[in-house]
Amino acid sequence: MREPQQDRSRATRRRLLEACVECLADLGWSATTVAVVAERAGVSRGAAQHHFPTREDLITAALEHMFDERIEQTRAELTTLQGATPTETVVARLVEHFTGTLFKAALQVWTAAAADEALRERVVPLEQKFGRVAYRMAIEALGVDDGDEVVHRLVQATLDLARGLGLADVLTDDSARRAEVVRAWAAHLDAVLRERVQV
Amino acid sequence: MREPQQDRSRATRRRLLEACVECLADLGWSATTVAVVAERAGVSRGAAQHHFPTREDLITAALEHMFDERIEQTRAELTTLQGATPTETVVARLVEHFTGTLFKAALQVWTAAAADEALRERVVPLEQKFGRVAYRMAIEALGVDDGDEVVHRLVQATLDLARGLGLADVLTDDSARRAEVVRAWAAHLDAVLRERVQV
């Protein structure tokens, strides 16, 4: 079977993006070079450089690609449940979104960008997009009206909480404690959201 | 005036610790070497190495020193207000604790430790201490009983939220949005805490 050139190129690109996110999460910022990623992806260094001329090109494309995929996946899961998604399920899924490999990879890049002006300029628009899209997904999944200021702020707080829980999970497995915090927060958020609907 | 040797040594140590935290926050993990910190502190490299044989010794001592100082300071401020500290004030102070130079420095170290086994072993006990002490301070400042499971979890959630808000402030100034999130969450936390006291 002959694989068309374009498909092959797309598959190579995808392998590089996925390997890049894994490298960032496992090896950290400094160790994630185009050469290391190409090797993990089983792609020649030349081919990798053809797709991504610089390390920054590769890394920002990888984060964006993985973020779009994760959001699509989470959105699809939450849509399947639609009509009766309990608040706790939505909160738990949002929190999961911030505790996987993608979050750990993004943390490496955000942290490097904190001390690197040029990188920061590339990363800030990505961060803003990620924040906006995750917020919108949360509002939709909860089925609430964020024209209400209290709802708007508490959904934002839920995403900030999720980010904080993600950070608490970077060095040690925090899943048992996290499950309890998520349960308590979700019960509280649910009560507030119901009350606001009645206002 | 002759400064006794011991005082001079203590002052040198302190300058190194403070300069180290500033370097981490400004320049990031890789650039924060003993030589760079010594220069910023106006201390000879030999003297720096006398106090801190390795970079890891310097960095972990710096985080611990600054954390202890910040906690003492926050505790003192909150004690002054005691008797009538509004929940919003306590929450705002906790959040401030996670948005300054110390948090930015710690983030560099936590993130480096995520991809460095030996560093992680040194950093995990520090992270656990910081979490425990901040939680205890929050319980005291709020004047609540954490024998109540709901109170316990919502105070933990408040610290996780604070950590997430800290992370959202690393690349851009998030203070305006943060103030609104803090206000909304504090109002709800306050309502829950009052309700629990009445139970």
Side-chain angles (χ1 to χ4, degrees), chain A residues 89-148:
Chain A
T89 307
V90 177
V91 174
R93 288 291 161 89
L94 289 174
V95 168
E96 257 171 52
H97 190 74
F98 284 89
T99 42
T101 305
L102 174 60
F103 177 80
K104 288 179 173 67
L107 182 65
Q108 292 290 334
V109 180
W110 278 205
T111 302
D116 179 336
E117 182 70 35
L119 182 61
R120 186 153 63 241
E121 274 172 32
R122 297 189 70 148
V123 163
V124 165
L126 268 187
E127 189 192 32
Q128 287 167 346
K129 174 189 158 185
F130 292 180
R132 214 165 44 232
V133 172
Y135 171 80
R136 188 49 48 203
M137 187 184 68
I139 290 290
E140 284 167 18
L142 291 165
V144 292
D145 171 18
D146 68 335
D148 181 327

Side-chain angles (χ1 to χ4, degrees), chain A residues 27-28 108 110-111 114-115 120 123 150 153 156-157 160-161 163-165 167-168 170-171 177 180 184-185 188 192, chain B residues 27-28 108 110-111 114-115 120 123 153 156-157 160-161 163-165 167-168 170-171 177 180-181 184-185 188 192:
Chain A
L27 313 175
Q108 292 290 334
W110 278 205
T111 302
R120 186 153 63 241
V123 163
V150 170
R153 294 303 176 188
Q156 281 192 321
D160 289 311
L161 171 71
R163 200 184 301 110
L165 287 168
L167 193 50
V170 166
L171 299 186
R177 188 192 72 91
E180 296 300 328
W185 180 278
H188 177 69
V192 174
Chain B
L27 312 175
Q108 293 290 334
W110 278 204
T111 303
R120 186 154 63 240
V123 163
R153 294 305 176 188
Q156 281 192 321
D160 289 311
L161 171 67
R163 198 183 303 110
L165 287 168
L167 193 49
V170 166
L171 299 186
R177 187 191 73 89
E180 297 301 329
V181 170
W185 170 243
H188 288 280
V192 174

Side-chain angles (χ1 to χ4, degrees), chain B residues 5-19:
Chain B
Q5 169 69 26
Q6 213 184 339
D7 288 356
R8 223 160 47 213
S9 171
R10 208 175 291 143
T12 300
R13 192 170 189 276
R14 191 191 180 85
R15 278 214 305 282
L16 285 166
L17 297 173
E18 286 168 2

